Amino acid sequence: MVIGVGARWLAGILTVLCMVLVGPSAPNGDLYDRPLPDVTARDVVPNRVMTWNICNPCRGHGQNLGRAAEIATYAPQVIGLQEACVRDVEEIRNYLEHLYGLDYHVEYGSVLRNRGRCGGVPWRAGGFGQAILSAAPMTDRVNVEYPDGGSEDRGYMAVTTRVGGRSVRVFNTHLAQRRQEAIRAGQTPVLAAAVARYDRAIVLGDFNAVPDAPELTRMWALAADADPGCRPSSGGTCEPTTDWQSTFDYIFLRGIAALGHRVHPSAYSDHHTLQADVRLD
């Protein structure tokens, strides 16, 4: 047992040294000059949630290692990932556990089996869609594919887990691509009807729509964004969550108060990480 633990820590140290030496998991520039976590066990922040489109198949050497480091930097209780291959999520989760001492449960909301995106053999292509990582166990998972996904299958997933010590329903979605407004207009009522069943819910995801887009009207009627300045009215100011300076990613809160939010550009996706600290009364 002692030898096994020592070997694991040695592997972690060697991996982090490789991160520093070979990149791209140690990017340069002002956007990325914040320190990454040490190779020591740490606790999650129990009332913190994150959403992140990890832009699969935006692959490259060290991508999942870097993604794990980004997540570990902020150590949220719950993370919703979009455009996620099952094998990439498994790798990220392993890095989080073995390098940073962060142990997450995982549930998948795959809506597509695609070898080109996610690898695998022709008769068993990799699963692609959403995933939720939670430091607490999850129950009552549902996985719903939208009747019309647009140019690619899309859907939402939902689980019940604990945030801030309280039980809450968490949704994670990815709507149709940004030029497919009419398709998204048919997807949001499906999601909104499910969210409306709960007095307290967190909705994470890439909605591929700016705040005043008509297709988001149903969501704004149910919940507020974690960013209090972000709203559909012309007076709202929303921080961009993509490299092309659009706000597409949201943390909608229903019956839950936001204590603060953060948007961080990342070298490992064209979407930024979006986090929120929340209070569940």
Side-chain angles (χ1 to χ4, degrees), residues 134-150:
S134 175
M138 291 174 277
T139 61
D140 304 318
R141 181 188 70 91
V142 298
N143 184 29
V144 176
E145 185 173 340
Y146 293 124
D148 187 353

Side-chain angles (χ1 to χ4, degrees), residues 40-235:
T40 54
R42 55 181 305 187
D43 294 327
V44 298
V45 181
N47 66 328
R48 180 169 296 166
V49 297
M50 172 191 283
T51 184
W52 193 13
N53 181 324
I54 60 174
C55 190
N56 218 317
C58 299
R59 297 188 175 199
H61 178 72
Q63 288 284 75
N64 290 330
L65 190 60
R67 289 166 178 157
E70 292 276 4
I71 293 170
T73 301
Y74 309 107
Q77 172 82 3
V78 171
I79 309 116
L81 300 176
Q82 304 89 42
E83 291 202 69
C85 289
V86 170
R87 64 176 56 198
D88 286 318
V89 176
E90 289 174 347
E91 191 171 43
I92 291 168
R93 186 169 168 240
N94 283 336
Y95 285 137
L96 287 168
E97 178 182 0
H98 297 303
L99 294 183
Y100 304 112
L102 296 173
D103 188 11
Y104 285 101
H105 303 266
V106 63
E107 293 286 354
Y108 295 100
S110 300
V111 293
L112 183 66
R113 295 280 171 180
N114 189 297
R115 184 169 178 264
R117 275 191 177 273
C118 298
V121 293
W123 56 91
R124 192 179 180 185
F128 177 79
Q130 287 78 246
I132 294 177
L133 303 179
S134 175
M138 291 174 277
T139 61
D140 304 318
R141 181 188 70 91
V142 298
N143 184 29
V144 176
E145 185 173 340
Y146 293 124
D148 187 353
S151 57
E152 181 179 79
D153 295 343
R154 297 288 166 89
Y156 77 83
M157 64 179 298
V159 301
T160 298
T161 188
R162 298 186 75 80
V163 177
R166 303 288 297 275
S167 178
V168 63
R169 194 67 171 166
V170 178
F171 293 80
N172 183 19
T173 192
H174 187 196
L175 300 190
Q177 293 181 357
R178 52 180 157 169
R179 293 183 177 87
Q180 299 176 343
E181 295 88 348
I183 303 297
R184 292 196 299 274
Q187 294 172 344
T188 47
V190 176
L191 175 63
V195 175
R197 300 189 188 108
Y198 297 88
D199 294 331
R200 187 166 58 204
I202 299 172
V203 186
L204 310 169
D206 174 5
F207 286 76
N208 270 319
V210 295
D212 59 357
E215 60 266 31
L216 293 189
T217 301
R218 293 284 295 272
M219 290 306 305
W220 288 115
L222 286 172
D225 190 63
D227 177 359
C230 187
R231 54 188 184 275
S233 66
S234 59

